[in-house]
Amino acid sequence: MSRVTGIGGIFIKAQHPEKLQQWYKQHLGIDVQVWGGTSFRWVDSAGNPTAGTTAWMIGDGGNFAPSEAPFMVNYRVSDLLVLLETLRAEQCEVLEKTEESEYGKFGWVMDPEGNKVELWEPPAEE
């Protein structure tokens, strides 16, 4: 069984999200959208587009709870439900809540230092 297949997103907690979003837009040229982040499109070694994106977002961190960390990493996985079952069998702290939407399936696990880790199974076409 494969576990993590890549990084689906990086989420940053900020005291002043709009101000930090503007800093990244102005100084690093990141195309921050109205929702607070952007989607980086994947390309191959020749620069040709390939399937997949990595999300990057600045927000208030409300969805990081129960973690108090200023970040959360979203990892792509190939089979969310099997992985969550495996992690539970390995005595990991898997959060009970899962979500499914047009964006795919989501689940969460806490690492040993109390950081919330988001696991994401993209929709079949991605």
Side-chain angles (χ1 to χ4, degrees), residues 8-61:
I10 305 292
F11 306 98
I12 302 167
K13 179 180 179 180
Q15 292 178 7
H16 305 284
E18 294 82 11
K19 193 175 191 179
L20 190 58
Q21 291 164 8
Q22 186 56 40
W23 185 92
Y24 275 93
K25 191 171 194 168
Q26 178 181 345
H27 298 289
L28 298 184
I30 295 175
D31 185 23
V32 180
Q33 301 294 305
V34 174
W35 54 271
T38 195
S39 292
F40 292 103
R41 303 275 177 223
W42 294 357
V43 296
D44 64 19
S45 59
N48 299 312
T50 186
T53 60
T54 299
W56 176 93
M57 185 180 139
I58 295 172
D60 65 10

Side-chain angles (χ1 to χ4, degrees), residues 54-102:
T54 299
W56 176 93
M57 185 180 139
I58 295 172
D60 65 10
N63 59 325
F64 297 3
S67 174
E68 294 182 20
F71 66 91
M72 182 173 65
V73 178
N74 164 293
Y75 292 101
R76 291 174 61 107
V77 302
S78 57
D79 191 331
L80 178 67
L81 298 179
V82 169
L83 180 55
L84 293 177
E85 187 177 302
T86 301
L87 293 172
R88 284 186 183 98
E90 294 171 347
Q91 304 302 308
C92 293
E93 184 183 348
V94 176
L95 303 182
E96 289 302 316
K97 178 183 174 185
T98 60
E99 291 181 12
E100 187 168 351
S101 72
E102 68 271 19

